[in-house]
Amino acid sequence: MTDAREPTVDERIDLYVTIRSLFRDRPFEATALGRRLVERGEHEYVSATGEPAASLSWLVEAGVVTADADGYRVAADPDEAAEKLATAGGVDVDAVRRRLLSALAADEGAPRTLSREGGTYGVVRIDPSDSVGAAVERALAAVDADHRGAVLTTPGTNADLAQRVADRLAADHSWSKAGSTVVEGETPDAELVFRLYLDA
């Protein structure tokens, strides 16, 4: 059954953060976004009729996302986006700015690449709630011409999921495992982090 409730202004502001984190400046389609949102458990953007297209249209009208023949694309940096989203939503700009910068800092504070034996690897964080397919898609997107491959990083108790992602990449894309390490978490009481390096 379809939920008739539209996402709130706050949820649409959070959607901008999610889109920027997932796609950065790459184009994307509404269907791809919907799939990623379901995989992340963010069902409020796909449960109502016409979503996530309606929220994307709202973000386009706000001026923080553009739409063209290649799909949608983030069009405003966080500072500019704060003003535009606040205006579109009729909310306080300083509150929106704090919300955006806090959420984006949490995402962007982590390293985007790691080096191993002279090679550079794109970092792909895997949460226990991620599906194998979603993690594979992120790993493929994390590698460009400057990278030897990707490094899957996840809490140590989630290492099994990282291994399954690596097996899928090996089977479907001919990637190979290049080694793994376990490192301390970011805080003294944080869980150990498992890193699995893959050559693309």
Side-chain angles (χ1 to χ4, degrees):
M1 183 172 171
T2 302
D3 182 358
R5 185 185 74 80
E6 291 184 359
T8 65
V9 170
D10 282 346
E11 287 170 341
R12 285 176 167 168
I13 290 170
D14 290 342
L15 181 60
Y16 163 82
V17 173
T18 299
I19 290 170
R20 193 172 188 279
S21 298
L22 287 173
F23 301 104
R24 309 260 176 222
D25 60 352
R26 298 188 308 273
F28 62 93
E29 298 291 336
T31 52
L33 174 62
R35 202 168 45 246
R36 298 292 290 274
L37 292 169
V38 169
E39 290 166 351
R40 292 165 60 100
E42 298 179 28
H43 299 281
E44 63 270 21
Y45 301 108
V46 293
S47 59
T49 301
E51 290 294 343
S55 288
L56 283 168
S57 293
W58 189 88
L59 293 172
V60 169
E61 288 177 22
V64 298
V65 170
T66 60
D68 58 31
D70 294 328
Y72 296 92
R73 189 188 301 261
V74 172
D77 63 33
D79 197 54
E80 179 187 3
E83 292 187 25
K84 292 183 173 184
L85 290 167
T87 299
V91 293
D92 179 65
V93 67
D94 289 331
V96 174
R97 184 174 287 112
R98 284 192 300 273
R99 186 185 190 102
L100 290 184
L101 295 179
S102 174
L104 291 167
D107 176 67
E108 294 175 358
R112 293 189 187 161
T113 62
L114 289 171
S115 296
R116 180 178 186 276
E117 296 180 356
T120 301
Y121 293 81
V123 174
V124 180
R125 287 176 291 165
I126 300 177
D127 295 322
S129 61
D130 285 340
S131 69
V132 171
V136 165
E137 186 179 326
R138 287 207 312 276
L140 293 170
V143 176
D144 61 29
D146 297 327
H147 297 149
R148 180 183 291 176
V151 53
L152 310 178
T153 68
T154 194
T157 53
N158 195 42
D160 179 59
L161 177 57
Q163 294 286 1
R164 287 187 315 209
V165 172
D167 291 343
R168 175 82 62 85
L169 286 163
D172 295 351
H173 301 280
S174 301
W175 286 26
S176 59
K177 295 178 185 178
S180 62
T181 60
V182 176
V183 298
E184 291 184 1
E186 295 180 3
T187 62
D189 55 350
E191 186 176 343
L192 294 174
V193 175
F194 176 69
R195 292 177 177 170
L196 179 55
Y197 291 83
L198 297 161
D199 287 341

